[in-house]
Amino acid sequence: MFSSAPGAFQTWTSPHATSLCSSPSAIMIEAGLSTALTRGDLVLPQMSACSSGTLCRASDSAMLGSALHHTRVSLQLPSHAPQVAFARRYFTETKLTANKCLQRRFSLAVRAVSQQNSVQQLDSAQLSNGSSVSNESCKESINSALSVTEKLRPELLYVQPKGVLPLSSKDLESPVEREAWELLRASIVTYCGNPVGTLAALDPTSPDLLNYDQVFIRDFIPSAIAFLLKGEHDIVREFLLNTLRLQSWEKTVDCYDPGQGLMPASFKVRTVPLEGDDPLATEEILDPDFGEAAIGRVAPVDSGLWWIILLRAYGKCTGDYSLQERVDVQTGMKMILKLCLADGFDMFPTLLVTDGSCMIDRRMGIHGHPLEIQALFYSALRCSREMLLREDGAMELLRALTSRLSALSFHIREYYWIDLKKLNEIYRYKTEEYSHDAVNKFNIYPDQIPPWLVDWMPDEGGYLIGNLQPAHMDFRFFSLGNLWSIVTSLATFEQSESILNLIDSKWNDFVGAMPLKICFPAFECEEWRIITGSDPKNTPWSYHNGGSWPVLLWQFTVACIKMGKPELAERAIEVAERRISKDRWPEYYDTRTGRFIGKQARLHQTWSIAGFLVSKMLLKNPQAASWLTCEEDLELLEACSCLLENNPKRKGRTKPAKKSKFLV
Ligand code: GLC
């Protein structure tokens, strides 16, 4: 299947990719033309066709030539000789004129493998012959390929322009990964013939679909990243453009119209009768749910934020920035931003939302300023700042966005951060302070410190609390909010390190038998009754109330890679890999350490599958984590210190303001 994006490069993937990849004795030969561009896996179609001597169609070759020209290409071939011979012919006999040198390199590499297969030494004459037409690096590449093939079993070779690396078993897809790809592909939804998203779940055991047969915006993000990592960009592009069209849909809850710019929580492709004379004619339509049908009528605040984050990732991955520069895409982004930045009654730079407005889409006591939304909000603002075109109409918005970013990071870093020292400060807080210089600005009563936290908080490490309101700190640890604060540099570098240290030191609480706890700890007894409204799905240590969600693995992996601790993610993935496929990819797990499959968990939950795949692929290709991460922005820090210094209420103070930790 070929796909082309205007102004971008082309990629090609065989519909047989999965079956070829699943060959355990696959030989992988990879050549890189440009490390700046991302990896696009290229798999030869129907290798078995070689036995009948069929070569690829000429048009395929031309496309292939073009793909070779623009992107990194990998070949995965079953390792028995006739197929290798076919590969050799493919590269030497087809009209690959786009890049002679690369063609030659492939041909030599394939020959080397072929020779090795029949336990022969490669003829040195062939080598010098090859190197005379190519460049020095090609010669080196083949030389080292040979030295490796002489020593190693030839099943696995990794040929790069710079040399040859033997692939470790880590670099191959495990059987669990192969199963995950099959399931992920099975969940793909098409609209007018084009893939546009993935179903939330394809549970073979549950007849009660509820809305799990829809494409959820937030659920599709790990699927999208998995497809991007695989070099299959079209589905992501189609998703971005089709959901954009849904944004301006007419939406009503009874007789009220929610704000323009809202992105739906999910959508479904429906086939409806076509208006006209033909009673049998039908058409497909996209039917969005903005929360007006969702359980509890919850507003999907996170959808638009994730959409912006994905738009940037798509650009970074494909190099196709023309998509984000399109007028309709810029307008859609601005609509989301305007909705988020609209003035209200808020006193804080954090986004004020109702309960259940994100992944936790039921009543769980997270109304107000939940960390997860703040982290996604910050991330979306950072992404938009990169993507918004510097045009007349956008300058005001850019200014608003920049000052919000500064204020938001100051607020979160200062007031959401908790560690042993801060806890001790709160323990000794004075209350009812009326002044601009109050230490206890939010009038937190020390008695609010929950007993579990006093013993649980380690000497080293800390985290961002779940929510902050007047006289209220939600001390629960929410994984997604903390992880995404690391990913997007909402937390300082030191805070980010402390969060990962905390997860490491409290491994059993966060990872246990299945990564990753959605929040810690659970509400129990009276608290559960009052705060969840006695929700039977959210009983203690189940679902959103302290359940364990495999999907969170991918955000954990991105955070670990960003902080230079991939081994932490590896450990968690190992835990998941031991049982996730046997358990049939549940949506979530129950009990304090995640030992049981969730009471009402769907099986074959797509984002559990995709989250696992993304984690595995990112560990093999860690630089791709930068599609999602943001680094510390000194300009924003400076803007924040200027704002604080120029505040007239602070100017007249006799004592200088205590220097904020994060501004130094
Ligand atoms: C549940 C989850 C929500 C998810 C949806 C679809 O409602 O709480 O986060 O998007 O299922 O999987």
Side-chain angles (χ1 to χ4, degrees):
M1 217 176 297
F2 274 104
S3 62
S4 64
F9 53 87
Q10 291 163 313
T11 56
W12 177 88
T13 316
S14 160
H16 308 282
T18 329
S19 58
L20 280 175
C21 295
S22 65
S23 161
S25 58
I27 298 170
M28 179 181 275
I29 304 170
E30 178 161 296
L33 272 185
S34 159
T35 43
L37 288 174
T38 187
R39 168 185 172 158
D41 278 349
L42 184 86
V43 183
L44 286 183
Q46 285 279 45
M47 291 305 295
S48 56
C50 68
S51 49
S52 62
T54 325
L55 286 181
C56 289
R57 283 176 291 124
S59 60
D60 284 358
S61 326
M63 287 288 206
L64 176 62
S66 170
L68 292 180
H69 213 45
H70 293 285
T71 187
R72 298 175 70 203
V73 173
S74 68
L75 269 177
Q76 300 191 349
L77 318 174
S79 69
H80 58 94
Q83 289 166 334
V84 173
F86 169 73
R88 188 176 63 221
R89 280 174 59 200
Y90 185 88
F91 282 104
T92 51
E93 293 173 21
T94 51
K95 295 186 190 80
L96 272 181
T97 49
N99 191 321
K100 276 276 176 206
C101 167
L102 189 72
Q103 179 194 346
R104 177 64 63 163
R105 192 183 306 157
F106 264 110
S107 126
L108 286 171
V110 170
R111 243 181 272 173
V113 174
S114 167
Q115 295 272 351
Q116 182 67 22
N117 261 4
S118 48
V119 203
Q120 286 169 20
Q121 292 287 323
L122 187 86
D123 181 353
S124 59
Q126 278 178 340
L127 180 65
S128 52
N129 181 20
S131 59
S132 66
V133 291
S134 64
N135 57 23
E136 274 307 302
S137 77
C138 177
K139 184 179 167 189
E140 256 172 53
S141 172
I142 302 303
N143 263 328
S144 36
L146 279 175
S147 65
V148 172
T149 48
E150 275 161 17
K151 288 188 209 112
L152 294 175
R153 291 276 316 127
E155 275 87 340
L156 247 35
L157 279 181
Y158 183 74
V159 182
Q160 286 191 321
K162 287 197 202 102
V164 179
L165 302 170
L167 278 182
S168 70
S169 55
K170 234 171 49 178
D171 297 309
L172 275 183
E173 276 179 351
S174 67
V176 179
E177 279 170 88
R178 292 199 293 273
E179 183 197 47
W181 270 112
E182 267 166 37
L183 293 172
L184 182 60
R185 289 190 197 287
S187 74
I188 291 177
V189 171
T190 58
Y191 171 59
C192 299
N194 296 320
V196 283
T198 47
L199 297 175
L202 248 182
D203 188 340
T205 63
S206 168
D208 185 13
L209 293 173
L210 289 177
N211 51 356
Y212 285 87
D213 62 344
Q214 305 213 0
V215 180
F216 277 74
I217 308 296
R218 72 174 75 87
D219 291 41
F220 182 68
I221 305 301
S223 299
I225 306 296
F227 288 122
L228 289 180
L229 283 161
K230 200 68 168 167
E232 295 172 31
H233 309 146
D234 277 11
I235 184 170
V236 182
R237 185 188 167 85
E238 287 297 319
F239 169 86
L240 286 165
L241 290 175
N242 280 295
T243 45
L244 179 67
R245 282 177 209 124
L246 297 177
Q247 188 188 30
S248 37
W249 206 265
E250 212 175 286
K251 31 193 174 275
T252 49
V253 177
D254 298 332
C255 44
Y256 176 71
D257 302 333
Q260 283 297 307
L262 190 68
M263 278 283 180
S266 58
F267 66 84
K268 197 176 161 79
V269 178
R270 289 191 199 281
T271 307
V272 295
L274 193 63
E275 277 175 30
D277 299 335
D278 183 355
L280 295 178
T282 57
E283 65 171 337
E284 282 184 339
I285 58 153
L286 291 180
D287 184 7
D289 178 9
F290 292 90
E292 71 268 35
I295 298 166
R297 305 291 184 264
V298 280
V301 178
D302 62 341
S303 288
L305 306 175
W306 276 124
W307 185 87
I308 291 178
I309 295 166
L310 182 62
L311 180 66
R312 173 189 182 244
Y314 175 87
K316 288 211 160 223
C317 161
T318 60
D320 172 15
Y321 295 103
S322 63
L323 180 73
Q324 52 185 254
E325 286 166 8
R326 278 171 53 148
V327 177
D328 54 346
V329 174
Q330 288 277 317
T331 308
M333 194 166 31
K334 285 181 198 161
M335 275 165 74
I336 299 172
L337 293 172
K338 281 182 185 155
L339 193 61
C340 293
L341 295 171
D343 289 336
F345 290 106
D346 317 7
M347 293 294 289
F348 309 141
T350 35
L351 203 59
L352 180 63
V353 297
T354 54
D355 215 341
S357 52
C358 52
M359 173 188 183
I360 297 179
D361 55 359
R362 293 165 88 91
R363 187 173 154 196
M364 265 298 290
I366 59 163
H367 54 275
H369 304 94
L371 180 67
E372 174 173 335
I373 289 290
Q374 312 317 322
L376 294 176
F377 180 36
Y378 185 81
S379 183
L381 292 184
R382 289 285 307 263
C383 297
S384 307
R385 194 156 169 262
E386 268 178 50
M387 293 187 294
L388 274 176
L389 295 178
R390 270 54 185 169
E391 297 163 338
D392 283 352
M395 296 321 278
E396 189 57 31
L397 186 61
L398 272 161
R399 267 190 293 275
L401 190 153
T402 304
S403 70
R404 188 65 172 261
L405 275 169
S406 296
L408 184 59
S409 68
F410 175 83
H411 187 85
I412 297 283
R413 292 170 177 201
E414 279 288 291
Y415 306 128
Y416 277 58
W417 182 251
I418 187 118
D419 53 16
L420 195 63
K421 184 165 166 277
K422 179 74 178 288
L423 198 58
N424 204 167
E425 273 168 32
I426 299 172
Y427 180 70
R428 291 166 53 78
Y429 264 168
K430 280 200 228 97
T431 56
E432 323 295 337
E433 292 175 283
Y434 179 83
S435 75
H436 291 295
D437 295 333
V439 175
N440 181 6
K441 290 196 175 59
F442 307 100
N443 202 31
I444 305 297
Y445 300 108
D447 269 0
Q448 254 180 57
I449 298 176
W452 65 266
L453 186 56
V454 179
D455 297 326
W456 186 81
M457 181 67 92
D459 291 346
E460 304 289 331
Y463 65 96
L464 297 166
I465 58 167
N467 212 324
L468 177 68
Q469 316 256 54
H472 173 63
M473 281 177 118
D474 183 344
F475 289 98
R476 284 175 294 168
F477 177 100
F478 286 85
S479 295
L480 182 47
N482 272 281
L483 295 175
W484 211 255
S485 299
I486 298 176
V487 170
T488 195
S489 289
L490 174 56
T492 65
F493 184 81
E494 290 73 21
Q495 289 173 343
S496 301
E497 281 207 311
S498 293
I499 295 168
L500 290 186
N501 287 343
L502 180 86
I503 295 179
D504 194 6
S505 69
K506 300 280 178 189
W507 194 255
N508 214 29
D509 287 332
F510 292 116
V511 176
M514 179 54 71
L516 205 62
K517 201 57 56 207
I518 194 167
C519 67
F520 181 89
F523 282 139
E524 303 194 56
C525 309
E526 269 307 86
E527 248 183 337
W528 163 77
R529 200 179 61 74
I530 295 166
I531 294 173
T532 72
S534 303
D535 185 345
K537 203 168 176 183
N538 273 336
T539 50
W541 304 108
S542 180
Y543 201 46
H544 300 142
N545 188 13
S548 301
W549 291 66
V551 60
L552 294 169
L553 252 187
W554 79 269
Q555 287 107 341
F556 182 52
T557 306
V558 181
C560 290
I561 291 174
K562 179 174 180 232
M563 297 307 294
K565 291 183 179 220
E567 66 287 351
L568 259 194
E570 256 166 49
R571 262 170 65 199
I573 294 167
E574 258 174 51
V575 175
E577 194 156 6
R578 259 179 249 146
R579 59 184 288 210
I580 194 161
S581 149
K582 283 190 215 132
D583 292 346
R584 297 203 273 174
W585 308 92
E587 180 187 13
Y588 66 95
Y589 285 77
D590 284 355
T591 79
R592 200 185 155 114
T593 51
R595 293 185 68 198
F596 290 172
I597 297 173
K599 234 183 325 190
Q600 296 189 41
R602 305 280 141 172
L603 302 181
H604 290 183
Q605 177 81 19
T606 305
W607 69 356
S608 300
I609 296 165
F612 171 81
L613 280 175
V614 169
S615 306
K616 293 286 273 194
M617 284 194 283
L618 280 178
L619 284 181
K620 291 175 201 165
N621 184 9
Q623 64 277 20
S626 66
W627 304 342
L628 298 149
T629 55
C630 297
E631 297 305 323
E632 182 72 279
D633 186 327
L634 296 177
E635 201 190 314
L636 292 175
L637 279 187
E638 243 163 58
C640 186
S641 59
C642 287
L643 283 176
L644 287 175
E645 271 161 28
N646 295 336
N647 183 343
K649 295 257 169 76
R650 286 170 173 261
K651 271 189 172 167
R653 299 195 317 189
T654 42
K655 269 200 269 170
K658 198 176 128 214
K659 211 167 185 192
S660 161
K661 262 185 282 167
F662 93 84
L663 290 176
V664 269

